[in-house]
Amino acid sequence: MSASILRSQISKVAKLPANAISLQDLVLMGQHRTEESLYKANKWIVGELPIRLAHRIEELDNLPNGLNEMHSINKVKQWYMQSFDDLTTIQSTESTDPRLKEKSSYNRQVTESLKQIKKRHDPTVATVAQGVIEWKHSTKRDIIDHSIQSFLDRFYMSRIGIRMLIGQNIAINDEPARDNWVGVICTRTNVKDFARDAIDNARFICEEYYGIFEAPEVELYCPDDLTFTYIPGHLMHMLFEVLKNSLRATVDTQLKRNRESANPIEDISDIKFPPVKLIVADGSEDITIKISDEGGGIKRSVVPLVWTYLYTTMEETPDLDPTYNKTDFRAPMAGFGYGLALSRLYARYFGGDLKLISMEGYGTDVYLHLNRLSTYETLQ
Ligand code: ADP
Ligand code: MG
């Protein structure tokens, strides 16, 4: 398609509103799979994604204060335009392209396209972050202002939704059915099991990063049988980020106290760390997860900053290279300054929230509220 036709199509589609969807809707759409039900789900996503992509393209075009001119932002916009083109081409050639006429081959073609699109957009978070860094350098700004922060919130929130829909469609089309799972959604997400996995992963990263034999303990208090309908991938992401922060604060604080004590312990593996506590409450509206640490807390004046993208107290930012090879990629301990901001978006995505309360000089409590209602409708 020529560039100008594509642009005019994008502005036409951008006028349409996105359609709200809930976990419950997705479960219904992906349950009892047949060629016909998959065809319906695929038709829906091929219609829906271009709307959401078009909104983001227009927003990228109109970013304030010259952010829209940054090289990395334009790169991301090109990916969005390419994906828009891929999907609208499927729409417009469905009746003429022999590969799209039969329902079974339509399903196959759409799934293949979605896989390509998903891969294309893998580096989006890092590349947009890179764009913001380019902008900070070119405008000599230290702190992201309100308009950039709210753009990033909207942009990444929308990405969570788009990725979720794509991941869900690929899974229901491609992966064998499993009990209690519909695509990437688990209708019996066991909070304790996933919390344990997140704890193991975060402690492992902590041990590697500090070169210590044992990361601080994480005490887990959670009913064994607490389950709800959720996307375990999202739950893991949030728990992992919050736990890494608590472990880092705990270790850094103890190392500092040790350095400053009259008789510092030489081998840091012998230093005792106060445990982090992860407490899960089973409410009728929310499942709330509190992660408490004795990592010294955060100054009250600094607390608002921790929600800002790219804010970190880590001295070195890990490599932001968006071309990283996914299989080699190990999650960094910290330093990207995205952990809390993105986790809050994941929480809010299905009607939950993430809050942080600090007692400077003692420690931090983070509350992760997850809405139990799988009928919560999200528009993103
Ligand atoms: P990153 O971990 O990459 O720095 P985050 O968004 O996860 O980014 O956190 C931002 C900053 O908030 C951290 O660099 C740290 O200074 C502060 N912070 C977050 N959690 C805690 C905590 N539990 N205790 C003390 N400081 C914290
Ligand atoms: Mg972090």
Side-chain angles (χ1 to χ4, degrees):
M1 195 183 300
S2 84
S4 65
I5 298 181
L6 182 61
R7 288 305 316 203
S8 77
Q9 221 184 342
I10 290 169
S11 43
K12 206 171 86 197
V13 175
K15 295 199 173 68
L16 303 171
N19 291 291
I21 191 138
S22 68
L23 274 175
Q24 198 62 53
D25 298 331
L26 289 167
V27 168
L28 291 175
M29 220 194 277
Q31 248 173 358
H32 314 301
R33 298 181 219 167
T34 59
E35 190 178 287
E36 181 67 33
S37 74
L38 290 175
Y39 176 73
K40 267 199 187 144
N42 287 327
K43 276 286 267 196
W44 185 81
I45 198 170
V46 168
E48 180 65 17
L49 285 182
I51 301 176
R52 297 177 181 221
L53 295 171
H55 292 161
R56 299 288 68 87
I57 295 165
E58 298 235 304
E59 182 161 48
L60 289 168
D61 270 339
N62 296 315
L63 285 176
N65 307 328
L67 181 58
N68 56 344
E69 283 156 28
M70 295 301 117
H71 170 73
S72 297
I73 298 290
N74 275 310
K75 198 150 94 182
V76 171
K77 191 163 71 190
Q78 293 307 319
W79 297 333
Y80 273 69
M81 288 169 70
Q82 181 65 57
S83 301
F84 178 95
D85 194 10
D86 290 356
L87 290 161
T88 45
T89 304
I90 293 179
Q91 277 177 324
S92 61
T93 55
E94 194 191 335
S95 54
T96 49
D97 185 338
R99 290 171 311 166
L100 298 173
K101 265 187 175 160
E102 297 287 328
K103 285 182 180 156
S104 62
S105 54
Y106 178 89
N107 289 343
R108 235 185 353 264
Q109 286 300 321
V110 170
T111 307
E112 284 317 306
S113 269
L114 291 176
K115 281 189 197 162
Q116 254 183 33
I117 291 173
K118 185 152 187 270
K119 192 145 185 276
R120 176 180 302 137
H121 293 258
D122 272 343
T124 295
V125 172
T127 312
V128 171
Q130 186 61 45
V132 176
I133 293 173
E134 288 162 13
W135 174 83
K136 276 167 112 181
H137 287 319
S138 74
T139 56
K140 304 202 171 28
R141 292 180 204 228
D142 276 350
I143 293 268
I144 291 174
D145 62 27
H146 178 73
S147 66
I148 306 284
Q149 174 79 10
S150 57
F151 151 68
L152 291 171
D153 273 338
R154 266 195 314 278
F155 189 83
Y156 289 135
M157 186 70 134
S158 150
R159 180 171 191 270
I160 291 173
I162 291 172
R163 301 282 284 182
M164 194 268 304
L165 293 178
I166 293 179
Q168 177 66 2
N169 256 63
I170 293 174
I172 60 174
N173 276 279
D174 252 16
E175 289 169 14
R178 283 185 285 173
D179 282 350
N180 304 323
W181 286 77
V182 180
V184 299
I185 304 165
C186 180
T187 52
R188 295 182 61 81
T189 305
N190 184 297
V191 179
K192 194 171 191 178
D193 287 348
F194 287 104
R196 214 181 271 123
D197 282 355
I199 291 169
D200 289 347
N201 294 346
R203 290 187 72 230
F204 175 77
I205 297 285
C206 176
E207 285 158 9
E208 294 264 293
Y209 175 76
Y210 287 100
I212 50 178
F213 187 61
E214 277 226 53
E217 287 297 328
V218 179
E219 294 172 2
L220 172 59
Y221 302 93
C222 178
D224 288 336
D225 55 356
L226 176 50
T227 63
F228 72 130
T229 297
Y230 208 69
I231 297 180
H234 290 190
L235 179 61
M236 285 291 286
H237 180 105
M238 297 181 281
L239 291 174
F240 180 60
E241 288 301 331
V242 174
L243 283 165
K244 278 191 307 176
N245 286 348
S246 284
L247 293 173
R248 173 181 165 225
T250 303
V251 174
D252 282 351
T253 300
Q254 291 306 315
L255 292 181
K256 183 162 178 280
R257 284 194 187 141
N258 181 56
R259 270 197 310 275
E260 291 167 357
S261 79
N263 298 308
I265 299 171
E266 255 177 50
D267 184 352
I268 58 168
S269 283
D270 294 334
I271 295 177
K272 291 267 170 294
F273 299 112
V276 173
K277 293 195 181 77
L278 192 156
I279 302 157
V280 183
D282 181 11
S284 59
E285 187 174 295
D286 277 352
I287 290 173
T288 302
I289 304 177
K290 176 164 80 167
I291 291 134
S292 300
D293 65 58
E294 292 176 32
I298 304 162
K299 288 193 190 108
R300 196 152 57 95
S301 62
V302 170
V303 170
L305 291 179
V306 304
W307 300 105
T308 324
Y309 294 93
L310 296 168
Y311 172 83
T312 180
T313 48
M314 199 81 158
E315 282 179 6
E316 269 186 40
T317 301
D319 200 357
L320 256 183
D321 182 4
T323 58
Y324 69 79
N325 176 348
K326 258 225 148 162
T327 49
D328 292 346
F329 181 69
R330 175 114 43 73
M333 183 70 197
F336 199 37
Y338 264 58
L340 286 173
L342 277 188
S343 296
R344 184 165 70 178
L345 293 182
Y346 276 106
R348 288 181 173 171
Y349 188 72
F350 287 120
D353 210 349
L354 186 66
K355 301 214 158 115
L356 180 148
I357 293 178
S358 139
M359 286 170 77
E360 192 203 354
Y362 181 76
T364 304
D365 289 340
V366 171
Y367 292 84
L368 173 58
H369 298 283
L370 304 170
N371 194 330
R372 259 187 170 284
L373 281 181
S374 57
T375 48
Y376 180 85
E377 287 206 330
T378 168
L379 250 177
Q380 302 279 344

